Amino acid sequence: MLLTFSHAVDTVNRWFGQLANVLILLACVVSAGNALLRYGFDLSNNWPLELQWYLFGAAVMLGTSYTLQQNGHVRVDIIYGNVSDRARLWIDIFGLVVFLLPACALFAWLSWSTLFLPSWDILEHSSNAGGLPRYPIKFILPLGFFMLVLQGLSELVKRFAALHGDIQLDTHYERPEQ
């Protein structure tokens, strides 16, 4: 049952990772379009710049859980690169339980209660002329941290399943070139 949960979370975060890629592309298109309007036609407005920031911010927050799933986050390899696969699984479990899950759960809660909800209550908009609503992008922060918590739980399930011998995880570690 836990592996089914893990698979479901992985599937959702894989979709968010693909969405993050599209958001980066859209941010680039908006940036180019804004430059064309500003310098080609001498038209200036704040919403394209704000939209570019929103797209990039959403890409970062929605892509971080996919990055964790793909084992793409930075590691301190002083210890990790010199131990057995089984020890790497235990190091991952320790890091997930002690650092990632508590921090991300706290950030999800705080960003929901002190950032998004107050903005939603007043339907906050940018103070810039022609600016965009702020509450939709402020929702992305708690959503991103929540999805990172779910992915952390998924990774925890997979690590324990690998220790138990139920699944095989690729624990191959490549040292960065120096």
Side-chain angles (χ1 to χ4, degrees), residues 20 29 110 123 177-178:
V29 169
L110 288 175
L123 299 178
E177 293 186 30
Q178 298 182 11

Side-chain angles (χ1 to χ4, degrees), residues 1 15 23 44 54 64 71 73 84 87 123 133 137 164 173 177:
M1 185 170 97
W15 183 82
L23 293 174
S44 181
Y54 289 9
T64 190
N71 204 18
H73 286 282
S84 69
L123 299 178
I137 193 61
H164 193 258
Y173 178 74
E177 293 186 30

Side-chain angles (χ1 to χ4, degrees), residues 31-166:
S31 178
N34 190 31
L36 179 66
L37 288 175
R38 182 171 296 216
Y39 300 112
F41 298 101
D42 199 26
L43 298 172
S44 181
N45 203 331
N46 288 323
W47 71 264
L49 182 58
E50 289 184 9
L51 180 60
Q52 179 185 349
W53 295 342
Y54 289 9
L55 291 168
F56 184 71
V60 169
M61 289 309 300
L62 298 177
T64 190
S65 54
Y66 177 71
T67 303
L68 177 62
Q69 179 190 74
Q70 297 300 308
N71 204 18
H73 286 282
V74 176
R75 294 193 180 274
V76 178
D77 68 337
I78 295 170
I79 298 171
Y80 199 84
N82 297 314
V83 296
S84 69
D85 289 346
R86 191 164 182 81
R88 288 183 189 141
L89 292 171
W90 280 111
I91 290 170
D92 287 347
I93 289 168
F94 177 79
L96 289 165
V97 170
V98 174
F99 298 113
L100 183 110
L101 291 173
C104 289
L106 177 65
F107 294 151
W109 168 250
L110 288 175
S111 61
W112 176 264
S113 62
T114 64
L115 187 71
F116 170 68
L117 283 181
S119 182
W120 171 261
D121 286 343
I122 63 170
L123 299 178
E124 181 182 10
H125 275 69
S126 170
S127 59
N128 296 320
L132 299 175
R134 292 244 170 112
Y135 58 92
I137 193 61
K138 288 187 177 184
F139 174 73
I140 296 296
L141 199 61
L143 175 64
F145 280 119
F146 177 73
M147 295 310 297
L148 192 53
V149 166
L150 289 181
Q151 190 61 48
L153 292 172
S154 172
E155 297 304 313
L156 197 59
V157 166
K158 290 186 278 190
R159 297 313 185 272
F160 278 116
L163 284 171
H164 193 258
D166 295 335

